[in-house]
């Protein structure tokens, strides 16, 4: 058994991490309200930073940033490792390729992809901390940074709530994601 192996076969939404909030988190209002609130806060805080030019903070923030980036890097690695394993098992099974690629009968979800897709969805909420760090440092986040984080929540909500087979693309992004946090 690998040290990286994590039980990922959930039979119910309530078995997922933060599963007790599953119904609320997949409610259509949650990602859209969160994204809108995020955009309002970022826009307001950015205007404050432009006007007041706050100075970057000290060693406490630097230590937090290192820990934050390490946690995201580790999560990205584990997410890629486990999701790629699920994809490998499902795509090497017998049967028509279209059944696997289109997730007919939901073999991806049954094999543990739901678990890792759910965690990836939750991570989109946490990744808003990236923008908060930029703002705390007195900087202005780029337009791409701002709208990427708002849109990622909505996009991942759609993929997870619909149990879309299109979610298979995220392990590829997770392969690159650790480098963003180094």
């Amino acid at each position: 058994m690998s040290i990286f192996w994590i039980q990922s076969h959930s039979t119910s939404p309530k078995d997922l991490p933060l599963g007790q909030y599953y119904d609320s988190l997949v409610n259509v209002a949650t990602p859209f309200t969160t994204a809108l609130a995020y955009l309002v806060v970022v826009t307001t805080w950015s205007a404050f930073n432009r006007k007041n030019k706050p100075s970057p903070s000290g060693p406490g923030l630097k230590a937090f940033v290192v820990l934050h980036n390490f946690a995201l890097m580790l999560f990205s690695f584990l997410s890629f490792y486990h999701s790629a394993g699920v994809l490998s098992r499902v795509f090497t099974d017998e049967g028509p390729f279209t059944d696997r690629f289109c997730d007919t009968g939901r073999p991806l979800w049954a094999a543990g992809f739901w678990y890792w897709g759910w965690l990836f969805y939750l991570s989109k909420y946490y990744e808003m901390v990236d923008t908060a760090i930029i703002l705390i440092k007195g900087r202005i986040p780029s337009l791409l940074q701002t709208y990427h984080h708002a849109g990622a929540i909505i996009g991942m909500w759609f993929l997870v709530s619909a149990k879309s087979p299109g979610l298979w693309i995220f392990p590829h992004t997770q392969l690159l994601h650790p480098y963003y946090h180094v």
Side-chain angles (χ1 to χ4, degrees):
M1 181 183 330
S2 168
I3 62 168
F4 298 115
W5 184 84
I6 295 176
Q7 178 62 38
S8 60
H9 299 285
S10 298
T11 57
S12 159
K14 304 301 179 197
D15 295 336
L16 296 167
L18 299 178
Q20 66 270 31
Y21 305 108
Y22 180 84
D23 292 335
S24 297
L25 288 166
V26 296
N27 182 302
V28 67
T30 301
F32 285 94
T33 303
T34 302
L36 181 60
Y38 167 80
L39 292 173
V40 168
V41 168
V42 170
T43 302
T44 304
W45 199 339
S46 293
F48 174 83
N49 282 357
R50 274 189 201 92
K51 186 176 182 179
N52 297 301
K53 305 282 186 213
S55 61
S57 41
L61 180 62
K62 286 183 183 181
F64 173 76
V65 169
V66 168
L67 184 62
H68 165 78
N69 286 338
F70 179 76
L72 286 176
M73 183 185 70
L74 183 61
F75 172 75
S76 294
F77 172 76
L78 289 173
S79 182
F80 171 77
Y81 177 83
H82 289 284
S83 297
V86 170
L87 285 172
S88 175
R89 286 190 305 276
V90 169
F91 280 94
T92 57
D93 282 350
E94 296 290 323
F97 179 73
T98 55
D99 286 354
R100 293 186 305 276
F101 187 74
C102 298
D103 205 24
T104 305
R106 305 260 188 245
L108 275 174
W109 295 95
F113 214 56
W114 185 20
Y115 180 86
W116 291 101
W118 174 253
L119 288 181
F120 194 65
Y121 170 57
L122 294 178
S123 77
K124 300 300 113 190
Y125 289 92
Y126 178 74
E127 286 179 12
M128 290 187 292
V129 171
D130 288 341
T131 307
I133 289 168
I134 291 169
L135 292 164
I136 289 167
K137 288 180 173 182
R139 298 181 191 153
I140 310 300
S142 71
L143 192 65
L144 175 63
Q145 166 90 13
T146 302
Y147 285 93
H148 164 76
H149 284 273
I153 292 170
I154 294 168
M156 282 304 301
W157 162 80
F158 177 76
L159 292 170
V160 168
S161 65
K163 293 187 179 176
S164 171
L167 187 63
W168 70 268
I169 195 70
F170 96 82
H172 299 88
T173 65
Q174 289 300 85
L175 182 61
L176 299 174
H177 217 239
Y179 301 106
Y180 304 152
H181 300 289
V182 177

